[in-house]
Amino acid sequence: MFYAIVGQDVPDSLALRLSVRPAHLERLHSLQQAGCLLLAGPFPAIDSSDPGSAGFSGSLIVAEFDTLGDAQAWAEADPYVVAGVYANVSVKPFKKVLPA
């Protein structure tokens, strides 16, 4: 089943986010290589695809895991969580409808 993982950044997270981004992306690439990643990306803090120094307010990852517990464990081990980029993370089951 798919799960939506939504992380909300702490205020002024950009420098910290950038410092651990390679490790965060490495884990996402592993999910992609396993055929489990549907989509992933950050939420710009302003209405721009390149927010510059405004940074990001969080991220969305939609990926396939065997169980909700597996998805939660994966999310809790994310480098953004470990380093304190995210203030909180929610994990919810997600049903993909479109595109079919």
Side-chain angles (χ1 to χ4, degrees), residues 23-90:
H24 172 75
L25 289 178
E26 184 177 322
R27 294 181 82 233
L28 290 172
H29 286 300
S30 293
L31 277 180
Q32 183 179 22
Q33 290 170 350
C36 297
L37 184 64
L38 183 62
L39 63 89
F43 299 119
I46 60 173
D47 188 13
S48 173
S49 61
D50 182 4
S53 63
F56 300 91
S57 63
S59 303
L60 169 64
I61 300 163
V62 179
E64 190 172 19
F65 294 92
D66 289 334
T67 67
L68 176 60
D70 290 342
Q72 290 169 327
W74 187 92
E76 289 170 6
D78 189 277
Y80 283 176
V81 172
V82 174
V85 173
Y86 291 153
N88 59 64
V89 177
S90 68

Side-chain angles (χ1 to χ4, degrees), residues 9-21 45 50-57 80 85:
D9 284 25
V10 297
D12 301 314
S13 63
L14 185 58
L16 183 57
R17 176 183 267 272
L18 292 174
S19 73
V20 294
R21 186 172 188 262
D50 182 4
S53 63
F56 300 91
S57 63
Y80 283 176
V85 173

